[in-house]
């Protein structure tokens, strides 16, 4: 086990120790090339090998169908809130976009898309303070919407879709767009229900700077005239993500994480199945401790609790500072909740070991014994 502290940051977030060690070993000279990856031409043979291997490994891990393009882009999930409507809002000439608001990030998505499209809030979880997901049967979907947007894991609010909505069953033929930034590669994706998925890499995949976009082939070629060429999915796909200089170092580190994931084993499983099982076990351990506590609480409905981002609160908020000071002293870092909701938050992404969650649970128990 590493002697490093346990980093519960929501992003940029924890990376596997062995990946960081490999990055350090290759920093000055990537495999005899005489160059750091940061110094390579993105069109040279060395980086082409890195990028092609990373894309192939990612496609294999997530079982991305052949009719989906994987794009390596920049700007993060926040930029995609503009780039998606600039590419897809005119798929059927309606300019209409339906957004299901389940927390802070999908709220931002709706606001940004409204700059480029006719946005309707199809459902809103505000009445529950985003502690529950609006029932899909109650969504108000327009028959002529160009697409429907959902955030499948809300990083701040801690709600997660454990099954993707079936739009056809809801009477909609629109493609589903999912912002999966904070749980991509933590579980499988049902691609039969998705038209486009996107996510920043800085949660489960690598350093900030890289954004992954998975887009079905039939959704390309409809970008608005105002869409910059570098953000036109058709242009980026045709150029195999090399239309402009991509975030080369972030792609390189992501590729190492993909290889780590393919090697990963746990509970008799390997690869994505193994990491998903460990994520289930980590989340279950922490939620059980919170539910059994008289001092701490998680307020999210049981059926939609996130495996990745677990907000929790002290019933006596006067103890917040004391709790955080004690956590830091024990090597439990970045547990303060987002400023918009307060409290605490433990982000337990793929690279967070089970031992990190066990250490947090031990501290919760110790703190409650002293202050409960």
């Amino acid at each position: 086990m590493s002697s490093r502290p346990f980093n519960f940051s929501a992003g940029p977030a924890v990376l596997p120790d062995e990946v960081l060690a490999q990055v350090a070993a290759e920093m000055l000279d990537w495999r005899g090339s005489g160059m750091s990856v940061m110094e390579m031409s993105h069109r040279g043979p060395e980086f082409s090998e890195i990028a092609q291997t990373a894309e192939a490994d990612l496609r294999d891990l997530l079982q991305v169908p052949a009719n989906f393009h994987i794009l390596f882009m920049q700007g993060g999930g926040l930029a995609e809130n503009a780039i998606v409507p600039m590419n897809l809002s005119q798929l059927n000439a309606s300019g209409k976009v339906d957004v299901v608001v389940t927390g802070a990030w999908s709220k931002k998505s709706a606001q940004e898309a409204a700059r480029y499209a006719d946005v309707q809030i199809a459902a809103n979880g505000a009445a529950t303070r985003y502690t529950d997901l609006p029932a899909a049967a109650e969504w108000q979907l327009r028959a002529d919407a160009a697409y429907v947007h959902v955030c499948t894991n809300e990083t701040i609010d801690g709600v997660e879709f454990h099954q993707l909505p079936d739009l056809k069953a809801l009477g909609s033929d629109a493609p589903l767009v999912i912002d999966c930034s904070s749980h991509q590669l933590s579980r499988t994706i049902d691609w039969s229900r998705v038209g486009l998925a996107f996510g920043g890499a800085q949660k489960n995949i690598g350093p900030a700077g890289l954004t992954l976009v998975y887009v079905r082939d039939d959704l390309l070629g409809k970008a608005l005239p105002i869409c910059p060429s570098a953000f036109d999915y058709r242009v980026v796909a045709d150029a195999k993500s090399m239309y402009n200089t991509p975030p080369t170092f972030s792609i390189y580190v992501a590729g190492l994480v993909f290889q780590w994931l393919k090697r990963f084993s746990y509970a008799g499983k390997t690869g994505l199945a193994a990491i998903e099982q460990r994520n289930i076990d980590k989340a279950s351990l922490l939620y059980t401790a919170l539910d059994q506590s008289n001092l701490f609480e998680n307020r999210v409905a049981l059926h939609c609790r996130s495996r990745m981002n677990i907000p929790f609160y002290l019933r006596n908020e006067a103890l917040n500072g004391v709790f955080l000071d004690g956590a830091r002293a024990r090597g439990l870092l970045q547990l303060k909740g987002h400023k918009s909701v307060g409290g605490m938050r433990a982000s337990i992404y793929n690279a967070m070991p089970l031992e990190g969650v066990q250490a947090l649970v031990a501290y919760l128990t110790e703190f409650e014994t002293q202050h409960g």
Side-chain angles (χ1 to χ4, degrees):
M1 272 301 298
S2 168
S3 60
R4 300 175 71 221
F6 294 115
N7 176 12
F8 293 92
S9 172
V14 60
L15 286 166
D17 284 357
E18 64 186 81
V19 168
L20 293 174
Q22 185 172 351
V23 170
E26 296 179 339
M27 180 62 73
L28 297 181
D29 183 358
W30 183 80
R31 302 182 188 179
S33 68
M35 297 177 285
S36 169
V37 173
M38 289 185 284
E39 301 171 308
M40 291 177 179
S41 166
H42 63 294
R43 303 190 192 281
E46 295 87 358
F47 187 74
S48 293
E49 177 186 342
I50 290 170
Q52 291 166 12
T53 301
E55 180 179 342
D57 286 340
L58 178 57
R59 188 176 293 274
D60 183 43
L61 280 163
L62 279 177
Q63 294 295 290
V64 181
N67 64 328
F68 277 74
H69 298 269
I70 299 177
L71 310 180
F72 294 147
M73 299 186 68
Q74 298 173 75
L78 195 59
E80 286 303 318
N81 286 333
I83 296 170
V84 171
M86 283 195 285
N87 276 272
L88 303 189
S89 62
Q90 289 297 326
L91 284 175
N92 61 6
S94 75
K96 295 179 180 179
V97 172
D98 287 348
V99 180
V100 179
V101 176
T102 53
W105 282 104
S106 48
K107 185 177 180 180
K108 287 178 183 289
S109 300
Q111 292 168 342
E112 188 69 15
R115 296 163 58 92
Y116 309 98
D118 171 6
V119 170
Q120 172 189 258
I121 307 302
N124 196 334
T128 68
R129 295 188 178 182
Y130 303 118
T131 59
D132 202 351
L133 294 173
E138 298 173 4
W139 295 1
Q140 301 298 311
L141 300 176
R142 294 178 290 188
D144 58 346
Y147 66 89
V148 177
H149 175 108
V150 300
C151 179
T152 46
N153 187 78
E154 291 278 2
T155 317
I156 293 173
D157 302 279
V159 296
E160 180 174 12
F161 283 82
H162 291 290
Q163 283 190 322
L164 293 179
D166 183 351
L167 294 187
K168 289 191 181 299
L170 299 175
S172 172
D173 292 323
L176 178 67
V177 170
I178 64 170
D179 174 356
C180 58
S181 291
S182 52
H183 72 163
Q184 65 174 321
L185 269 184
S186 72
R187 59 188 306 152
T188 57
I189 293 177
D190 183 354
W191 295 105
S192 70
R193 296 187 176 185
V194 176
L196 183 146
F198 70 84
Q202 68 273 18
K203 315 290 189 178
N204 270 321
I205 293 176
L210 171 64
T211 308
L212 283 305
V213 177
Y214 316 78
V215 56
R216 207 170 62 206
D217 187 67
D218 62 296
L219 303 184
L220 300 177
K222 297 286 188 178
L224 298 176
I226 62 169
C227 182
S229 299
F231 296 154
D232 184 327
Y233 294 145
R234 174 84 273 170
V235 172
V236 179
D238 287 347
K240 300 187 183 303
S241 299
M242 299 295 157
Y243 178 74
N244 64 329
T245 305
T248 53
F249 190 74
S250 295
I251 293 171
Y252 156 68
V253 179
L256 298 183
V257 172
F258 301 153
Q259 292 167 15
W260 171 78
L261 274 173
K262 292 182 78 171
R263 297 190 302 268
F264 186 79
S265 62
Y266 177 83
K269 302 176 181 180
T270 57
L272 193 64
I275 206 71
E276 180 171 7
Q277 184 60 58
R278 190 173 76 163
N279 288 333
I280 291 170
D281 291 349
K282 290 187 302 185
S284 177
L285 178 63
L286 183 48
Y287 281 121
T288 297
L290 293 170
D291 290 343
Q292 292 176 348
S293 171
N294 292 314
L295 181 60
F296 301 96
E297 63 175 339
N298 172 272
R299 299 168 183 171
V300 177
L302 291 175
H303 70 98
C304 60
R305 285 175 162 180
S306 171
R307 296 175 187 169
M308 296 285 98
N309 309 103
I310 302 180
F312 60 96
Y313 300 85
L314 282 83
R315 290 187 169 93
N316 179 1
E317 293 189 355
L319 294 172
N320 283 357
V322 178
F323 175 81
L324 289 170
D325 288 344
R328 281 190 293 270
R330 289 161 178 78
L332 307 172
L333 308 181
Q334 302 291 320
L335 283 167
K336 187 175 181 179
H338 192 271
K339 61 184 179 181
S340 65
V341 295
M344 309 296 157
R345 174 176 52 176
S347 293
I348 52 175
Y349 297 123
N350 284 350
M352 171 60 66
L354 181 62
E355 291 81 3
V357 179
Q358 290 170 335
L360 175 56
V361 167
Y363 176 52
L364 294 177
T365 302
E366 174 191 345
F367 192 88
E368 183 159 2
T369 299
Q370 295 174 350
H371 300 280

